[in-house]
Amino acid sequence: MINKALMNVILKDTRAFYDREIKDVELVNQGYYGLIFLVSFDDAFSCVAKVYKGFGHAKNEYEHLGLLLGKGLFHSPKPYYLSLKEKNDYKDILYMEYIHEAKPVELAVLEQCNKDEMAKRIVDNIFCYQQNFKVEQGNWGCVYNDFVYDLYNRLLLRDDNELKEVANKYLAFTKESVFNTNEVLLHGDYNTLNLLVDKNGELHMIDPLGFTYGDKFIDIAQLLKKTCLEDSIIKILKKKDILDDKGLTLVAIYQFWDEIYHYLRTNRIDSELIKRIKF
């Protein structure tokens, strides 16, 4: 059951971009970052309302979706409206297009899809949207190393000495391996749970997160973190001469620090992944 305060905000917000009567508001998913509702209207139109627990994430995703819109081979949901707590007096809420009758690629592949064919489509999409470069190239090496140093210093406050020992080694690897590079458009959380396939076989990418521009290996690392398509994807990337020793090193570095980032936010960590990507 949706609480009255949230319902009042949704009623007011939706009139700003779609002035029709709401038929139903249904909670469809929830996680660490917040709640996801499906808002249905009386004319069969529907949209997603993402209600965030923290601040800043809604605005970041709204802008990130705008950057990705129309840039890849896959469809990205159109952001409709951004409602911030400072105005609605409740929470940050992002309204966006709803992808009908779609399921995560990870589940679809496990059920029936051809792994090699799906892996090729997913890799081709990366190379398509990554043809978009940052207009004013920055200093990626410094930006990412600063990001890592912040994570490392926060990790030092925790009690996990074994993890801190591994992080100390990765700190050195990062400094030695992550330099300035052409900053390309990123999804930031490009994995087979954030890629959807609909009933017509069309593919969609949802839930961008983190860096909007940066090293192309950020999204490759995310894709390879945990997926039933790993072998097929690696085969394709090696055939394209992407995963040489340098590429594999960057993948491991980006996977490790991404896991530390989520550990510091959620207090949960994938121990098996940490073991698998150890140098």
Side-chain angles (χ1 to χ4, degrees):
M1 176 71 69
I2 183 171
N3 69 60
K4 185 176 180 180
L6 177 55
M7 189 65 198
N8 287 336
V9 173
I10 290 176
L11 285 169
K12 183 178 179 180
D13 286 346
T14 52
R15 291 194 183 100
F17 66 88
Y18 200 72
D19 193 13
R20 295 295 294 265
E21 290 300 316
I22 289 178
K23 181 180 179 181
D24 188 35
V25 178
E26 176 189 1
L27 178 65
V28 293
N29 202 355
Q30 57 185 313
Y32 177 78
Y33 292 99
L35 306 174
I36 301 177
F37 294 89
L38 178 61
V39 184
S40 303
F41 296 82
D42 60 5
D43 63 349
F45 176 78
S46 56
C47 71
V48 169
K50 295 185 73 172
V51 182
Y52 294 79
K53 293 179 182 177
F55 303 112
H57 302 301
K59 185 174 185 292
N60 290 342
E61 185 168 353
Y62 179 81
E63 294 173 350
H64 207 154
L65 283 170
L67 289 172
L68 287 169
L69 201 62
K71 296 297 196 306
L73 300 174
F74 299 173
H75 172 263
S76 296
K78 181 180 179 180
Y80 291 139
Y81 188 72
L82 177 63
S83 177
L84 299 178
K85 184 180 187 298
E86 60 194 54
K87 290 188 176 181
N88 66 34
D89 220 17
Y90 186 76
K91 290 182 183 297
D92 289 353
I93 307 175
L94 172 58
Y95 300 86
M96 69 182 76
E97 179 185 358
Y98 173 59
I99 309 300
H100 291 267
E101 298 184 61
K103 67 177 71 174
V105 163
E106 186 77 5
L107 300 180
V109 169
L110 289 172
E111 290 173 4
Q112 57 187 2
C113 292
N114 180 290
K115 287 188 176 183
D116 289 342
E117 179 185 338
M118 183 63 75
K120 183 180 184 305
R121 293 177 71 185
I122 289 170
V123 171
D124 285 347
N125 183 54
I126 291 182
F127 293 138
C128 181
Y129 68 73
Q130 287 190 349
Q131 291 177 25
N132 296 274
F133 293 86
K134 191 175 183 181
V135 176
E136 294 183 9
Q137 290 289 318
N139 191 335
W140 171 252
C142 288
V143 168
Y144 191 76
N145 274 280
D146 287 348
F147 168 75
V148 165
Y149 273 108
D150 177 64
L151 294 179
Y152 179 73
N153 287 328
R154 288 161 57 194
L155 182 63
L156 292 180
L157 301 176
R158 301 295 181 101
D159 295 328
D160 194 330
N161 292 326
E162 183 179 353
L163 186 57
K164 286 189 277 191
E165 184 179 340
V166 176
N168 190 51
K169 294 177 182 178
Y170 267 91
L171 191 66
F173 294 141
T174 304
K175 188 175 181 180
E176 294 169 1
S177 305
V178 179
F179 301 104
N180 291 343
T181 185
N182 285 332
E183 294 182 56
V184 299
L185 180 61
L186 299 172
H187 178 282
D189 200 15
Y190 193 79
N191 62 67
T192 47
L193 292 176
N194 285 337
L195 299 175
L196 307 181
V197 58
D198 65 26
K199 63 178 182 178
N200 298 316
E202 297 299 318
L203 289 160
H204 311 261
M205 51 183 176
I206 63 170
D207 294 348
L209 178 71
F211 294 105
T212 52
Y213 289 94
D215 188 347
K216 65 183 179 184
F217 282 101
I218 288 284
D219 280 358
I220 293 172
Q222 287 290 338
L223 182 57
L224 291 172
K225 269 183 80 173
K226 183 180 286 186
T227 174
C228 63
L229 293 173
E230 182 178 5
D231 291 341
S232 296
I233 292 167
I234 288 175
K235 182 171 64 177
I236 293 169
L237 292 172
K238 285 188 173 180
K239 191 174 181 180
K240 292 178 178 288
D241 294 324
I242 299 295
L243 279 187
D244 54 13
D245 289 343
K246 178 184 176 183
L248 288 168
T249 297
L250 288 170
V251 164
I253 287 170
Y254 293 145
Q255 287 180 342
F256 177 81
W257 291 114
D258 181 71
E259 195 62 27
I260 296 301
Y261 170 79
H262 289 291
Y263 168 64
L264 292 171
R265 296 184 69 88
T266 67
N267 291 316
R268 296 194 297 267
I269 194 160
D270 188 337
S271 300
E272 290 302 315
L273 176 68
I274 295 296
K275 291 176 184 176
R276 181 164 63 85
I277 63 177
K278 271 187 181 180
F279 280 110

